[in-house]
């Protein structure tokens, strides 16, 4: 690989052994084509996003751990064959919901690397804990939202329209990013996000001493406790509904999944680059 600018190219070529080539149109597409056969090499669950790879398996007996280790060995064989190297030092294992003592390793150039065991990881902007509870993600989201509120406060009191624009553009998205995967269901998590919004709405000129519910009504905002309503709206958009003159019913072959129920599925598909999920 070399760099080209306006028809001029760097003198030296550099071998690219990992990652997605940057700065070109065809680079990412060619990379996806080159890794397209990777799932065919493993027998357990696998998910890929760009240059991140996740494999997982339910661990009930020792043979399950051996099967997962075999898949890691196959991934390293694929890596040696196609010269696209994994970075064992960045690969980690997260153990979810079992107490078996399991360890995994990846062998590169004849050297064995033991995978680090992690209790929490960040993947695609979502923090995942080994207990699958959204507390960590909630705390990170609230902290970032408060930091942005601090920047907005430096401009002094805002009128209603300016605040609504700033809040919906910069603050609220921090607390609702990918909320379908980590929807808070514990009272303490909901109240934490609620307090951020309560603090924010007091920054509006003329609403400092107005009740919280009235501030929401004036600003056209909704409470974080109203997530059930948004769950139902999202569900109606995803699943078709069969209606007739007498009743409305859902097709019997479909399974209704709310945000809290889908969180586990998303967690099993997401974790850091090359990680192993159990």
């Amino acid at each position: 690989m070399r760099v080209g600018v306006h028809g001029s190219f760097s003198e030296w070529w550099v071998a690219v052994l990992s990652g997605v080539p940057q700065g070109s149109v065809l680079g990412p597409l060619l990379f996806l084509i080159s890794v397209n056969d990777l799932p065919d090499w493993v027998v357990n669950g696998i998910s890929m996003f760009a240059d991140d790879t996740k494999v997982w398996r339910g661990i009930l007996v020792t043979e399950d751990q051996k099967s997962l280790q075999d898949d890691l060995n196959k991934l390293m064989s694929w890596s040696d064959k196609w010269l696209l190297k994994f970075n064992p030092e960045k690969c980690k294992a997260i153990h979810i919901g079992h107490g078996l003592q399991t360890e995994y390793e990846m062998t590169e150039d004849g050297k064995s690397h033991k995978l680090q065991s992690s209790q929490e990881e960040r993947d695609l902007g979502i923090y995942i804990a080994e207990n699958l509870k959204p507390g960590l993600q909630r705390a990170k989201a609230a902290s970032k939202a408060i930091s942005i509120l601090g920047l907005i406060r430096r401009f002094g009191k805002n009128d209603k329209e300016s605040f609504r624009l700033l809040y919906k553009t910069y603050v609220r998205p921090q607390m609702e990013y990918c909320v379908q995967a980590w929807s808070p269901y514990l009272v303490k998590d909901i109240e934490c996000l609620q307090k951020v919004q309560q603090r924010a709405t007091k920054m509006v000129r003329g609403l400092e001493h107005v009740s919280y519910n009235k501030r929401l009504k004036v600003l056209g905002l909704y409470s974080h406790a109203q997530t059930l309503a948004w769950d139902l709206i999202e569900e109606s958009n995803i699943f078709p509904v069969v209606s007739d003159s007498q009743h409305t019913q859902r097709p019997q072959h479909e399974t209704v999944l709310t945000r809290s129920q889908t969180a586990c599925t998303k967690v099993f598909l997401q974790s850091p680059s090359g990680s192993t999920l159990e």
Side-chain angles (χ1 to χ4, degrees):
M1 183 177 181
R2 63 176 179 172
V3 178
V5 178
H6 298 301
S8 299
F9 297 90
S10 57
E11 181 178 355
W12 299 101
W13 286 84
V14 178
V16 179
L17 301 179
S18 63
V20 181
Q22 304 294 321
S24 68
V25 177
L26 291 178
L29 176 60
L30 295 176
F31 176 83
L32 293 178
I33 294 175
S34 67
V35 302
N36 192 50
D37 68 325
L38 187 57
D40 298 334
W41 286 62
V42 301
V43 297
N44 294 302
I46 183 172
S47 178
M48 303 167 61
F49 183 85
D51 59 344
D52 287 350
T53 304
K54 284 79 67 175
V55 293
W56 70 91
R57 180 183 178 90
I59 304 297
L60 299 176
V61 293
T62 306
E63 286 70 19
D64 295 326
Q65 185 268 340
K66 294 180 179 179
S67 176
L68 200 54
Q69 180 61 58
D70 289 341
D71 278 351
L72 291 179
N73 297 336
K74 293 175 182 177
L75 291 179
M76 296 308 294
S77 298
W78 177 93
S79 175
D80 293 336
K81 178 179 179 180
W82 296 107
L83 303 180
L84 287 173
K85 301 296 184 179
F86 289 97
N87 188 344
E89 295 182 356
K90 292 185 178 180
C91 298
K92 297 181 181 180
I94 179 169
H95 309 280
I96 298 175
H98 75 82
L100 297 177
Q101 298 298 321
T102 56
E103 294 182 351
Y104 302 93
E105 61 182 22
M106 301 177 74
T107 303
E108 183 181 36
D109 299 328
K111 184 178 180 180
S112 178
H113 300 267
K114 180 181 176 181
L115 296 189
Q116 302 178 41
S117 180
S118 177
Q119 295 182 343
E120 58 191 43
E121 288 297 330
R122 182 175 184 268
D123 185 42
L124 301 180
I126 300 297
Y127 288 87
I128 302 169
E130 61 180 356
N131 58 11
L132 298 185
K133 291 184 178 181
L136 178 62
Q137 171 64 23
R138 176 266 305 165
K140 296 290 186 180
S143 177
K144 195 168 184 178
I146 291 175
S147 298
I148 297 176
L149 281 177
L151 297 176
I152 297 177
R153 185 179 290 110
R154 295 182 181 180
F155 295 97
K157 294 291 183 179
N158 294 279
D159 57 73
K160 299 175 184 177
E161 293 301 325
S162 298
F163 172 81
R164 186 185 297 111
L165 177 62
L166 292 172
Y167 183 77
K168 289 186 175 182
T169 303
Y170 298 107
V171 180
R172 188 114 194 182
Q174 301 298 332
M175 298 188 290
E176 295 183 347
Y177 172 73
C178 204
V179 72
Q180 292 82 1
W182 63 275
S183 177
Y185 56 89
L186 298 177
V187 174
K188 63 178 182 180
D189 293 333
I190 297 176
E191 289 182 346
C192 178
L193 299 178
Q194 196 86 307
K195 289 179 181 179
V196 176
Q197 185 163 268
Q198 289 177 351
R199 180 186 303 183
T201 53
K202 286 186 177 181
M203 297 169 55
V204 181
R205 187 184 303 111
L207 297 182
E208 300 90 338
H209 305 293
V210 179
S211 66
Y212 176 56
N213 289 333
K214 188 173 181 179
R215 294 199 301 270
L216 291 180
K217 185 176 181 180
V218 171
L219 296 171
L221 301 176
Y222 59 88
S223 169
H224 284 277
Q226 295 174 316
T227 54
L228 177 59
W230 300 114
D231 276 336
L232 296 176
I233 294 174
E234 181 181 1
E235 177 187 326
S236 65
N237 292 332
I238 295 176
F239 298 101
V241 177
V242 179
S243 302
D244 55 32
S245 58
Q246 297 180 347
H247 63 281
T248 300
Q249 63 181 9
R250 188 173 305 281
Q252 296 298 316
H253 66 279
E254 295 188 0
T255 302
V256 177
L257 300 176
T258 62
R259 292 192 300 189
S260 59
Q261 290 173 309
T262 58
C264 290
T265 302
K266 290 180 179 296
V267 166
F268 279 97
L269 292 178
Q270 300 174 359
S271 67
S273 177
S275 64
T276 305
L277 292 180
E278 296 188 22

